[in-house]
C-alpha cells in the first residue's frame, strides 16, 4: 500500500461523515455495466465484446478513459470483426488487486482476458494516447499474433521519461492526481466536480460517465497509472522492435504541443509498412473523426483477408 493510499484511508476515517455521503452517492449513481465481468488472475475486468470474425480487434483507451470511450468505433468495426474494449485497473466497472499499473500489466491483463474468452489470434491492436504504449508492447511481445496496429494520436515513451524536458509537466500532473487520490474517499473531487476520464460522450452514456468518473477506484487508478508511467516508458524502450512488415497506421492530431508532434515522428518509423495520417484537430481523434479511425482499422482488416486468400491459393 502506497503512502498516498494510507493517507486516503486515514482521511476517510477522520472525515467519516463525508466518506459515508460519498459512498452513498456512488451507490445511488451506479449504472449496470454495458459489457461482461471477466475474472482474471488479479482482477475482475469489465470488457465489451461485440461482433465475430476471423480477426479480433483490441481497443485500448487513453489515460483515465474506459471502454465506452470507443462508442463511435466498436459498433462500426464489430460489423466486420470481433472487437474487444475493456476498463484497465479499477477504472469504469473493473476492479483490480494489481500493485502496479504499467503497460506490461495491461498486456498481461489483455492476455488473461483473451485466455478466459478462448479467443485466438490474429489480433489488430488499436491504442489511443497512453493506450498506444500497451498496444505497441503487446505487438513487440507477441509478434506472430498481431496482424496490424493503429495508433490514434498515441503517446510516445519519450513523453513519460523523467528528464529535464518533462520534469515540470510530470510534477504538476503528479501533484494533481495525488491530491485527487488522497481526497477521493471523502468526496472532495466530487464536490469540486473534478471527475476522472471523459466529461462528455453521446447522451446515452451520461449516466455511465457520472458514475464511473467519481469512483474511488478511478482516482486510485489514474494515480497508480501515472505514477508508473515512467516504468511503462522504460518497458517500451527495452522492448524488441516490431516486425518490419507489420502494417501500422499512425493517426496524428496537429493541434497538439510541439513536443507531442515531434514524438509522432518517431512513431511513423516503427515499421517499413507504416502509414501516417495527420488531422487538423485535437487529441480525441476517435471522437472528433471516428470515420478516419474506422477506415484505418478496416483497411488492415481488408489487408488481412487478402493475405489469407493468397495463402490459401498458395497452399
Amino acid at each position: 500500500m502506497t503512502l498516498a493510499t494510507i493517507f486516503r484511508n486515514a482521511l476517510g476515517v477522520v472525515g467519516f461523515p463525508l466518506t459515508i455521503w460519498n459512498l452513498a452517492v456512488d451507490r445511488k449513481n451506479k449504472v449496470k455495466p454495458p459489457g461482461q465481468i471477466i475474472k482474471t488472475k488479479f482482477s475482475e475486468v469489465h470488457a465489451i465484446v461485440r461482433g465475430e470474425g476471423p480477426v479480433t480487434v483490441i481497443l485500448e483507451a487513453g489515460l483515465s478513459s474506459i471502454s465506452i470511450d470507443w462508442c463511435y468505433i466498436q459498433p462500426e468495426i464489430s460489423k466486420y470483426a470481433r472487437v474487444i474494449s475493456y476498463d484497465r485497473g479499477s477504472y469504469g466497472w473493473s476492479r483490480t488487486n494489481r500493485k502496479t499499473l504499467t503497460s506490461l500489466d495491461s498486456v498481461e491483463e489483455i492476455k488473461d482476458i483473451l485466455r478466459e474468452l478462448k479467443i485466438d489470434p490474429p489480433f489488430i491492436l488499436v491504442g489511443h494516447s497512453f493506450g498506444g504504449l500497451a498496444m505497441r508492447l503487446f505487438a513487440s511481445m507477441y509478434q506472430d499474433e498481431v496482424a496490424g496496429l493503429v495508433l490514434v494520436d498515441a503517446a510516445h515513451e519519450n513523453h513519460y521519461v523523467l528528464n529535464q524536458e518533462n520534469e515540470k509537466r510530470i510534477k504538476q500532473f503528479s501533484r494533481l492526481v495525488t491530491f485527487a487520490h488522497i481526497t477521493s474517499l471523502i468526496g472532495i473531487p466530487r464536490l469540486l466536480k473534478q471527475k476522472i476520464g471523459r466529461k462528455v460522450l453521446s447522451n446515452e452514456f451520461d449516466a455511465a460517465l457520472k458514475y464511473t468518473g467519481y469512483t474511488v477506484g478511478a482516482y486510485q487508478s489514474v494515480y497508480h497509472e501515472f505514477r508508473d508511467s515512467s516504468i511503462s516508458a522504460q518497458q517500451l524502450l527495452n522492448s524488441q522492435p516490431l516486425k518490419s512488415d507489420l502494417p501500422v497506421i499512425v493517426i496524428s492530431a496537429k493541434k497538439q504541443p510541439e513536443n507531442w508532434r515531434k514524438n509522432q515522428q518517431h512513431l511513423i518509423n516503427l515499421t517499413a509498412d507504416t502509414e501516417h495520417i495527420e488531422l487538423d484537430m485535437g487529441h480525441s481523434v476517435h471522437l472528433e473523426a471516428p470515420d478516419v479511425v474506422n477506415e484505418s482499422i478496416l483497411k488492415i482488416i481488408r489487408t488481412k483477408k487478402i493475405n489469407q486468400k493468397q495463402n490459401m491459393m498458395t497452399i
Side-chain angles (χ1 to χ4, degrees), residues 24 27 98 156 212 260 276 290:
R27 286 193 295 271
R98 287 182 178 271
H156 187 270
T212 60
W260 184 277
H276 190 205

Side-chain angles (χ1 to χ4, degrees), residues 185-235:
L185 198 53
I186 60 173
I188 298 300
R190 189 190 300 277
L191 290 171
L192 297 175
K193 296 184 179 179
Q194 297 296 317
K195 69 179 178 180
I196 294 297
R198 195 68 58 185
K199 302 299 183 286
V200 179
L201 286 172
S202 59
N203 292 339
E204 64 182 295
F205 296 109
D206 285 351
L209 293 178
K210 184 179 180 181
Y211 166 60
T212 60
Y214 289 112
T215 65
V216 173
Y219 293 103
Q220 178 169 304
S221 292
V222 74
Y223 165 74
H224 283 161
E225 198 160 57
F226 192 74
R227 178 201 65 184
D228 296 338
S229 60
S230 62
I231 301 174
S232 295
Q234 195 60 49
Q235 290 167 351

Side-chain angles (χ1 to χ4, degrees), residues 168-196:
K168 182 178 178 181
R169 172 181 52 81
I170 288 175
K171 284 185 176 180
Q172 286 178 339
F173 194 72
S174 180
R175 285 194 293 266
L176 182 65
V177 297
T178 301
F179 174 80
H181 172 47
I182 290 174
T183 60
S184 62
L185 198 53
I186 60 173
I188 298 300
R190 189 190 300 277
L191 290 171
L192 297 175
K193 296 184 179 179
Q194 297 296 317
K195 69 179 178 180
I196 294 297

Side-chain angles (χ1 to χ4, degrees), residues 137 213 236:
L137 189 61
L236 266 295

Side-chain angles (χ1 to χ4, degrees), residues 13-295:
V13 173
V14 174
F16 187 67
L18 283 174
T19 301
I20 293 298
W21 162 78
N22 185 45
L23 296 179
V25 175
D26 252 359
R27 286 193 295 271
K28 178 184 176 183
N29 292 341
K30 191 171 184 178
V31 175
K32 183 179 179 182
Q36 58 185 295
I37 303 298
I38 301 166
K39 291 187 177 182
T40 63
K41 184 177 180 180
F42 295 103
S43 313
E44 292 184 354
V45 183
H46 170 250
I48 302 175
V49 185
R50 299 286 186 269
E52 57 183 40
V55 63
T56 297
V57 177
I58 301 172
L59 305 174
E60 185 82 32
L63 187 78
S64 81
S65 292
I66 60 175
S67 51
I68 58 176
D69 213 50
W70 299 102
C71 60
Y72 300 133
I73 307 300
Q74 188 161 10
E76 182 62 28
I77 301 302
S78 64
K79 298 175 184 176
Y80 307 94
R82 182 189 291 109
V83 188
I84 300 173
S85 60
Y86 78 108
D87 303 336
R88 289 192 305 275
S90 292
Y91 290 127
W93 292 270
S94 292
R95 297 296 176 262
T96 188
N97 291 319
R98 287 182 178 271
K99 303 303 181 186
T100 57
L101 286 182
T102 67
S103 293
L104 180 58
D105 287 298
S106 296
V107 172
E108 291 174 350
E109 202 75 90
I110 293 168
K111 291 296 289 185
D112 284 348
I113 294 169
L114 295 170
R115 192 176 301 110
E116 290 296 323
L117 294 176
K118 295 179 171 58
I119 295 175
D120 296 322
F123 305 119
I124 294 174
L125 310 177
V126 183
H128 174 242
S129 193
F130 181 77
L133 298 181
M135 294 294 87
R136 285 174 52 210
L137 189 61
F138 189 114
S140 171
M141 294 175 65
Y142 301 100
Q143 300 199 9
D144 293 337
E145 299 182 6
V146 178
L149 175 65
V150 178
L151 298 173
V152 185
D153 207 37
H156 187 270
E157 53 269 28
N158 288 350
H159 189 68
Y160 296 103
V161 172
L162 292 173
N163 56 28
Q164 189 174 358
E165 185 179 37
N166 295 331
E167 184 178 11
K168 182 178 178 181
R169 172 181 52 81
I170 288 175
K171 284 185 176 180
Q172 286 178 339
F173 194 72
S174 180
R175 285 194 293 266
L176 182 65
V177 297
T178 301
F179 174 80
H181 172 47
I182 290 174
T183 60
S184 62
L185 198 53
I186 60 173
I188 298 300
R190 189 190 300 277
L191 290 171
L192 297 175
K193 296 184 179 179
Q194 297 296 317
K195 69 179 178 180
I196 294 297
R198 195 68 58 185
K199 302 299 183 286
V200 179
L201 286 172
S202 59
N203 292 339
E204 64 182 295
F205 296 109
D206 285 351
L209 293 178
K210 184 179 180 181
Y211 166 60
T212 60
Y214 289 112
T215 65
V216 173
Y219 293 103
Q220 178 169 304
S221 292
V222 74
Y223 165 74
H224 283 161
E225 198 160 57
F226 192 74
R227 178 201 65 184
D228 296 338
S229 60
S230 62
I231 301 174
S232 295
Q234 195 60 49
Q235 290 167 351
L236 266 295
L237 290 169
N238 294 338
S239 64
Q240 295 296 315
L242 303 182
K243 291 175 67 173
S244 62
D245 61 346
L246 179 70
V248 177
I249 299 179
V250 176
I251 306 173
S252 303
K254 290 184 179 180
K255 295 181 179 179
Q256 284 280 59
E258 182 181 352
N259 285 342
W260 184 277
R261 296 197 308 273
K262 183 175 67 175
N263 282 329
Q264 292 296 297
Q265 298 306 306
H266 295 301
L267 297 176
I268 66 176
N269 296 311
L270 285 175
T271 72
D273 189 11
T274 298
E275 176 183 349
H276 190 205
I277 300 172
E278 289 188 285
L279 300 175
D280 189 20
M281 59 183 58
H283 185 48
S284 300
V285 174
H286 57 306
L287 301 177
E288 296 182 54
D291 289 349
V292 176
V293 178
N294 284 330
E295 182 53 37

